[in-house]
Amino acid sequence: MSMQAHIAEPGRAGKWVRTVSGWFAGRGRTLVIAIPMLWLLLFFLVPFLVVGKISLSEAAIARPPYLPIWNFEDGILTLSLNLGNFQFLAEDSLYFNAYVQSLQIAFFSTILALLIGYPMAYVIARAPARLRNLLLMLVILPFWTSFLLRIYAWIGILKTNGVINNILLSLGIIHEPLVMMQTNFAVYVGIVYTYLPFMILPLYSTLVKLDESLFEAAADLGARPLTIFLSVTLPLSVPGIIAGSMLVFIPVVGEFVTPELLGGPDTLMIGRQLWTEFFANRDWPVASAVAIVMLIVLVLPVMLLQRTQPDEAGG
Amino acid sequence: MQRKSRLVLIAAILGFIFLYAPMVSLVIFSFNKSKLVTVWGGFSTKWYGELFQNAQILNAAGLSLRIAVISASLALVIGTIAAFVLVRFGRFRGRNLLTGMITSPLVMPDVIIGLSLLLMFVAMQNLIGWPNRGMTTIIIAHATFGAAYVAVVVQSRLRDMDLSVEEAAADLGAGAVRVFFDITLPIISPALISGWLLSFTLSMDDLVITSFVSGPGSSTLPMVIFSKVRLGVSPDINALATIIILIVSVGVIGAALAMRKKDMPHG
């Protein structure tokens, strides 16, 4: 009986969905779909095509500062595609280095966030229920405060006459202030700090679902704590590790604020390079080309990878 | 076993200290008399006074608040409709396109969204003379990424929701629009509130996308903070940070308490 009810469930949902779509049959239905569809086409998809178009045009001292790629004169349409911007990116090692360093910083930040975040997520997941919500709240709270101000806080801590140097100097541990600001060290600290909650939350939601009896069974069979961790806990938390790593890795690749405020002139990151091309050099076509390469090299593979992953939210 | 779990506990405690030390230092030095932000010169609240005299910061905060309220509301409408269409409309042409477009802003780097929207706005202005860069373009940009977050939150709520209530209302003769407004919306209202708050916060916080699409005379709070911070630390920014941390803490703790009260009867 209960089996049958269980089987009947999806069918009922399906019928209801059909009823709802029935209500919104014809013009009303199209109209409702059209609202988000048109908005996103206009303000999300088409803008990428515009970027693609401008990446193929030539920079010019004009308003807007680029030449049109098609020209209609004397009844003849001339299309002048200019691959010079991409050639420029390929020839100037600055951009290649920026891409490589972005990937490198994103990769190591993800690892660091995982190493710091995993024990935190583990302790929260194993804490008594009352304490658990409080600890979760403590993880989420920084996320609601300003990202910019959290980076700013680190300037005060890391700079030459900042908190860390003052403490170490007054304790006599060091006699010269350490140079931490405007280094890649500061960039790592800032990035790991701001993205840590994004790592902890998915890890927590995987770890909290793990069945306690698995550990007991493993312990009863004589497994040592480290063995239990490596052979039971860690493999079962892989979905959380993947989700958290994605949430950290992808946005960090395009990061601008942290390298700009905490990094030095040799902290090359591609998001910062795009910003400089656009705001300092006013070279819109090259900025567009940087964006297109970033999309093709970094964003598309990740999106495709995500599509092949089983859809967790759908379950 | 004991020693191992103690090590994990210590690691977790260090992690929490890492999360909170910078915020504590921000708050402490906001009460510092000395202009050298990180050298203690005695207790003072003068930076708060200076903050409230700073017309540039106050104007920017006002503009940011207006943009955040309008864009979050717009994001709520667009995101909720998108979520409803994706969960309840079954198959339709362009479904995959809509799914892709609504989730992509979540993983797209800010610099790319900012650049592409700006180029779009410039192209539109050349074609139809609208929109002028400023508050309007910032609102459109924020509503677009806000809608993505709203859609994710509302979609999962719509999926979890018990359909029998909607069906019952329909059996009793309520029409589609009536069921949506009288039954569905109230049931998913917690998701609507958290979606709105999320897009409001993201809008208040955004620097990169805003810098691309804003125009002359429309500097938001993050833009003003960024230009000040670039020049070095200044104590009135600490005062501002302390006020923001206070507001957020009260909000988050209040929300947690409200949720706990609601959960109580169920155990």
Side-chain angles (χ1 to χ4, degrees):
Chain A
M1 205 43 204
S2 73
M3 251 321 249
Q4 263 183 336
H6 221 85
I7 294 165
E9 205 58 38
R12 221 182 55 152
K15 198 180 131 215
W16 176 245
V17 166
R18 276 198 299 281
T19 313
V20 175
S21 11
W23 280 343
F24 288 97
R27 211 171 283 166
R29 183 178 146 98
T30 313
L31 209 67
V32 175
I33 297 174
I35 298 169
M37 192 71 109
L38 286 180
W39 180 282
L40 289 166
L41 278 175
L42 194 57
F43 297 123
F44 190 73
L45 197 65
V46 177
F48 286 121
L49 303 179
V50 178
V51 174
K53 187 197 111 184
I54 291 173
S55 75
L56 293 171
S57 65
E58 218 170 312
I61 301 169
R63 280 178 75 99
Y66 55 86
L67 296 174
I69 58 169
W70 49 68
N71 222 336
F72 195 73
E73 235 168 63
D74 304 328
I76 306 160
L77 181 74
T78 41
L79 192 66
S80 53
L81 295 183
N82 167 32
L83 289 171
N85 303 312
F86 291 96
Q87 201 183 347
F88 174 65
L89 293 191
E91 279 167 4
D92 195 333
S93 62
L94 180 80
Y95 296 95
F96 181 75
N97 291 342
Y99 277 109
V100 172
Q101 209 177 351
S102 300
L103 288 174
Q104 198 182 336
I105 289 178
F107 178 76
F108 288 115
S109 311
T110 309
I111 302 279
L112 285 171
L114 183 61
L115 290 178
I116 300 173
Y118 199 101
M120 294 176 77
Y122 187 85
V123 166
I124 300 172
R126 292 278 161 270
R130 264 189 95 82
L131 200 59
R132 201 185 291 162
N133 286 336
L134 177 76
L135 292 175
L136 267 187
M137 202 179 76
L138 284 176
V139 171
I140 296 167
L141 199 139
F143 166 78
W144 290 94
T145 64
S146 162
F147 173 82
L148 195 53
L149 290 173
R150 279 182 290 149
I151 294 293
Y152 166 74
W154 280 103
I155 300 179
I157 295 175
L158 296 175
K159 68 189 181 124
T160 313
N161 57 350
V163 177
I164 291 182
N165 275 322
N166 285 348
I167 292 174
L168 292 179
L169 282 171
S170 66
L171 291 176
I173 297 172
I174 52 170
H175 301 286
E176 291 278 310
L178 301 170
V179 179
M180 289 176 286
M181 266 301 286
Q182 304 202 328
T183 63
N184 279 3
F185 169 74
V187 174
Y188 277 114
V189 170
I191 287 179
V192 172
Y193 178 69
T194 41
Y195 288 93
L196 193 56
F198 293 97
M199 181 61 89
I200 295 176
L201 294 176
L203 278 177
Y204 162 79
S205 53
T206 322
L207 286 170
V208 81
K209 282 187 223 146
L210 295 190
D211 193 350
E212 199 82 39
S213 59
L214 280 175
F215 308 118
E216 284 164 23
D220 287 347
L221 293 170
R224 294 157 54 88
L226 190 66
T227 319
I228 297 180
F229 176 75
L230 289 178
S231 58
V232 182
T233 319
L234 199 59
L236 287 175
S237 49
V238 165
I241 294 177
I242 292 177
S245 302
M246 292 267 203
L247 286 179
V248 177
F249 185 84
I250 304 167
V252 171
V253 170
E255 182 60 46
F256 160 74
V257 178
T258 319
E260 179 72 17
L261 290 180
L262 299 179
D266 52 340
T267 310
L268 294 174
M269 283 188 79
I270 200 62
R272 195 182 182 188
Q273 222 51 52
L274 194 159
W275 179 288
T276 312
E277 286 302 341
F278 186 84
F279 286 101
N281 304 348
R282 277 185 65 76
D283 195 333
W284 293 17
V286 166
S288 303
V290 172
I292 293 292
V293 175
M294 198 157 147
L295 267 178
I296 294 170
V297 178
L298 308 170
V299 182
L300 278 184
V302 172
M303 283 165 110
L304 291 175
L305 191 76
Q306 251 183 345
R307 190 153 286 186
T308 56
Q309 293 275 322
D311 183 12
E312 257 190 88
Chain B
M1 178 97 194
Q2 275 305 316
R3 238 193 62 212
K4 287 265 160 53
S5 56
R6 201 171 299 161
L7 272 179
V8 175
L9 191 64
I10 290 170
I13 291 170
L14 287 177
F16 276 106
I17 292 174
F18 176 59
L19 269 187
Y20 279 87
M23 288 164 78
V24 172
S25 110
L26 271 183
V27 174
I28 291 176
F29 286 108
S30 75
F31 295 107
N32 187 4
K33 197 182 263 168
S34 161
K35 197 175 167 56
L36 290 164
V37 174
T38 49
V39 181
W40 188 253
F43 183 85
S44 153
T45 53
K46 70 172 175 182
W47 302 113
Y48 289 86
E50 255 178 49
L51 181 69
F52 287 109
Q53 305 267 298
N54 189 329
Q56 193 197 12
I57 287 186
L58 290 183
N59 286 339
L63 180 69
S64 278
L65 273 175
R66 265 180 290 156
I67 289 174
V69 168
I70 300 172
S71 68
S73 309
L74 209 54
L76 184 67
V77 174
I78 299 165
T80 307
I81 295 176
F84 187 75
V85 162
L86 287 173
V87 177
R88 292 291 156 82
F89 269 25
R91 281 159 189 268
F92 57 88
R93 198 184 294 173
R95 193 194 151 87
N96 285 338
L97 180 66
L98 185 62
T99 312
M101 287 195 300
I102 198 81
T103 50
S104 297
L106 302 176
V107 293
M108 198 62 72
D110 284 352
V111 281
I112 296 188
I113 298 185
L115 177 72
S116 63
L117 266 174
L118 170 75
L119 297 180
M120 179 70 186
F121 289 141
V122 170
M124 279 173 76
Q125 227 218 339
N126 283 344
L127 274 176
I128 56 170
W130 184 89
N132 274 323
R133 271 193 268 166
M135 199 170 148
T136 319
T137 48
I138 301 174
I139 289 171
I140 293 175
H142 289 192
T144 306
F145 67 71
Y149 288 87
V150 171
V152 168
V153 177
V154 173
Q155 251 180 303
S156 70
R157 180 78 188 176
L158 276 172
R159 282 212 186 92
D160 292 343
M161 168 184 164
D162 187 4
L163 294 176
S164 54
V165 194
E166 283 184 5
E167 275 182 281
D171 287 346
L172 292 170
V177 177
R178 185 96 192 271
V179 170
F180 179 73
F181 282 102
D182 285 2
I183 308 291
T184 316
L185 274 192
I187 290 180
I188 62 170
S189 63
L192 299 182
I193 294 170
S194 41
W196 190 90
L197 283 174
L198 197 55
S199 16
F200 175 86
T201 313
L202 290 166
S203 167
M204 285 297 290
D205 207 17
D206 179 72
L207 168 75
V208 174
I209 297 173
T210 314
S211 302
F212 275 98
V213 300
S214 87
S218 56
S219 291
T220 61
L221 189 58
M223 289 169 74
V224 172
I225 295 175
F226 183 65
S227 61
K228 273 183 87 95
V229 169
R230 246 185 177 170
L231 302 175
V233 284
S234 73
D236 48 348
I237 295 294
N238 284 59
L240 180 67
T242 305
I243 294 171
I244 292 177
I245 291 173
L246 185 75
I247 294 172
V248 170
S249 308
V250 168
V252 170
I253 293 168
L257 287 179
M259 277 202 299
R260 225 168 86 188
K261 232 179 200 168
K262 240 177 87 183
D263 286 344
M264 275 307 190
H266 306 290

